[in-house]
C-alpha cells in the first residue's frame, strides 16, 4: 500500500547523517532536533504552538486532557474512522457520541452533528478522513453557536489547506481549538517509528498541554495536574526534519496519482471515485478510496491480492458496531451511510512513488473485475 523503501532511498544520505548526528550527540530525548522540528512545523503550518508527543493517539488524548473535559461530558465524533478517535474519548470517561458521515467525502455529517447536540455536549472531533479536510466552516459555526470545543483529528491530512467561503485559507489542524496528528510511518508525514504532535493557537492551552505531556510538571518535581509521559524522541525528530521540507512535494505526488486513478476510472458505472473539488489542496489523499457498486467488494480485494496488488478496507466495521463501543443509545437507522460504506469502500495503493505502469496495472485489474 505504501512504498517507504523507495522514498527512503531518495533521502537516504540526509537521513543517515542526521541520525548519526543524534547518535554522536547522545541527545536522545528533548534534543535540538526535537526543538527545531517543533519550530519548523509551527512555521509550515502557521500555528503558534506545536507540542510533539509519542504518537497520534496520545496526541488526541492529551488535547482532550488540556481542555478540562469532565467525566460524562459528551463528545461527538464520526462513526466511520479509526478506533483511536473514540478510544481516547472513552478512556477519559467522556461519553462518545458517534454520528453518521457524509456519503460523498466520508467525513462527519453536519446534519448528524446538529441532531446529536444535547446540553451535555462539550466537544466535536472531526476527523479529516483519508486526507480530505472536513467541512470546518460549518463545524466551527456550530461550535460557536453551542459553545463547544473543536478538536481536529488531523492524523490523515497534514499539509492539506482548507479554503473558507471568504477565500481565506488555513492548514488542516490549525482551524479548531486544538488538533492532533500522527507521524506513524505510513502517514503523509511519517517518521521511522512512532511520533505525534498537538497543535493550538491558544497560549494558555499550549502551556497546559506542555505540562500534561511531561507528568503534569511545570516546575521540576512539582506535579500540578495529572499528566502522562509522551515524548517524540530525537531520532524520529531528525527523520521528520529531513522529510518536512518534502511534505508539499509528497502530497502533490499523492494528488497526481489520485488524478490518474480518477481518469482511468472515468465512465466506470460501478466505481465511484473520490470527489475532485475545485479546491484541490483540501485533499492530500492519505488513502485513495473507491466505492464499488454491484460488486462483491471482498472478492475484488481477494482478486487484487491474487494479482499482487495490495489493497485495504478502511474501515470494515462501523465503530458503533464494535463490542467496545456498542451502546443501547445507538439505533441502526442513525447510521445509513456508514453501514453502506463499510460494504463498498476499498482503498488502492497510494504513496509518493507510484509509477504510471503500476497505476495502469492496478486500474486495469480493478476495471476487469467490476465489469465481470
Ligand atoms: C493513525 C491515526 C491515529 C493514531 O495515530 P497513532 O500514531 O497510530 O497513534 C488517530 N486517528 C486517525 C484518524 C488515524 O488515522
Amino acid at each position: 500500500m505504501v512504498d517507504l523503501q523507495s522514498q527512503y532511498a531518495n533521502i537516504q544520505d540526509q537521513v543517515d547523517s542526521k541520525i548519526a548526528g543524534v547518535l554522536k550527540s547522545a541527545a536522545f530525548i528533548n534534543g535540538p532536533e526535537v526543538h527545531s522540528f517543533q519550530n519548523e512545523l509551527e512555521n509550515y503550518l502557521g500555528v503558534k504552538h506545536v507540542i510533539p508527543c509519542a504518537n497520534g493517539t496520545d496526541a488526541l488524548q492529551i488535547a482532550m486532557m488540556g481542555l478540562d473535559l469532565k467525566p460524562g461530558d459528551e463528545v461527538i465524533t464520526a462513526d466511520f474512522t479509526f478506533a483511536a478517535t473514540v478510544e481516547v474519548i472513552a478512556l477519559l470517561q467522556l461519553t462518545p457520541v458517534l454520528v453518521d458521515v457524509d456519503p460523498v467525502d466520508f467525513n462527519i455529517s453536519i446534519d448528524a452533528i446538529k441532531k446529536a447536540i444535547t446540553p451535555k455536549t462539550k466537544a466535536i472531533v472531526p476527523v479529516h478522513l483519508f486526507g480530505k479536510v472536513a467541512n470546518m466552516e460549518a463545524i466551527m459555526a456550530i461550535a460557536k453557536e453551542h459553545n463547544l470545543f473543536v478538536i481536529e483529528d488531523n492524523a490523515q491530512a497534514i499539509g492539506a489547506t482548507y479554503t473558507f467561503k471568504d477565500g481565506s485559507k488555513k492548514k488542516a489542524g490549525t482551524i479548531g481549538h486544538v488538533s492532533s496528528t500522527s507521524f506513524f510511518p505510513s502517514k503523509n508525514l511519517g517518521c521511522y517509528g512512532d511520533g505525534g504532535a498537538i497543535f493550538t493557537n491558544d497560549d494558555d492551552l499550549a502551556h497546559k498541554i506542555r505540562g500534561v505531556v511531561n507528568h503534569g510538571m511545570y516546575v521540576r518535581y512539582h506535579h500540578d495536574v495529572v499528566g502522562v509521559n509522551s515524548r517524540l524522541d530525537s531520532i524520529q525528530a531528525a527523520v521528520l526534519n529531513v522529510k518536512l521540507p518534502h511534505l508539499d512535494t509528497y502530497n502533490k505526488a499523492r494528488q497526481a496519482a489520485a488524478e490518474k486513478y480518477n481518469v482511468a476510472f472515468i465512465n466506470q458505472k460501478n466505481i465511484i471515485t473520490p470527489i475532485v473539488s475545485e479546491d484541490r489542496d483540501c485533499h492530500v489523499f492519505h488513502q485513495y478510496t473507491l466505492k464499488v457498486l454491484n460488486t462483491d467488494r471482498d472478492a475484488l480485494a481477494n482478486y487484487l491480492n491474487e494479482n499482487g496488488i495490495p489493497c485495504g478496507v478502511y474501515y470494515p466495521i462501523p465503530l458503533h458496531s464494535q463490542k467496545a463501543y456498542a451502546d443501547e443509545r445507538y439505533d441502526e437507522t442513525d447510521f445509513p451511510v456508514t453501514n453502506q460504506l463499510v460494504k463498498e469502500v476499498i482503498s488502492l495503493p497510494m504513496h509518493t512513488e507510484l509509477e504510471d505502469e503500476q497505476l495502469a496495472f492496478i486500474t486495469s485489474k480493478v476495471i476487469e473485475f467490476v465489469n465481470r
Side-chain angles (χ1 to χ4, degrees), residues 269-308:
K269 61 183 185 339
N270 290 332
I271 298 177
I272 313 271
T273 54
I275 52 156
V276 194
S277 65
E278 304 263 300
D279 184 12
R280 202 167 178 267
D281 290 330
C282 78
H283 201 331
V284 290
F285 289 95
H286 174 59
Q287 296 293 347
Y288 180 82
T289 304
L290 300 175
K291 288 197 278 187
V292 287
L293 314 178
N294 307 311
T295 300
D296 178 340
R297 188 268 322 271
D298 294 332
L300 168 62
N302 286 337
Y303 179 73
L304 294 179
N305 284 331
E306 280 161 20
N307 281 282

Side-chain angles (χ1 to χ4, degrees), residues 55-58 60 81-82 84-85 127 129 153 155-156 182-184 187 194-195 315:
N55 58 67
T57 310
D58 272 11
L60 257 180
T81 173
F82 182 53
T85 322
V127 182
L129 203 70
D153 180 344
Q156 301 190 0
S182 164
F183 305 122
F184 186 79
K187 301 285 157 107
D194 274 307
Y315 297 92

Side-chain angles (χ1 to χ4, degrees), residues 14-38 52-54 191-196 230-242:
Q14 275 174 292
V15 169
D16 290 0
S17 89
K18 277 265 188 193
I19 291 178
V22 174
L23 300 185
K24 274 187 203 117
S25 75
F28 298 116
I29 300 291
N30 274 332
E33 292 287 351
V34 178
H35 294 281
S36 72
F37 175 62
Q38 180 184 315
C53 67
C191 58
Y192 293 169
D194 274 307
S230 189
R231 294 184 282 242
L232 179 73
D233 71 67
S234 303
I235 290 180
Q236 300 310 329
V239 172
L240 291 166
N241 276 327
V242 175

Side-chain angles (χ1 to χ4, degrees), residues 141-172:
I142 296 172
K144 196 166 176 200
E145 185 185 336
H146 296 274
N147 202 17
L148 309 175
F149 291 117
V150 174
I151 304 147
E152 290 171 77
D153 180 344
N154 193 31
Q156 301 190 0
I158 196 159
T161 302
Y162 183 81
T163 307
F164 291 81
K165 288 197 194 95
D166 68 2
S168 62
K169 291 175 187 287
K170 279 186 184 174
K171 289 277 187 201

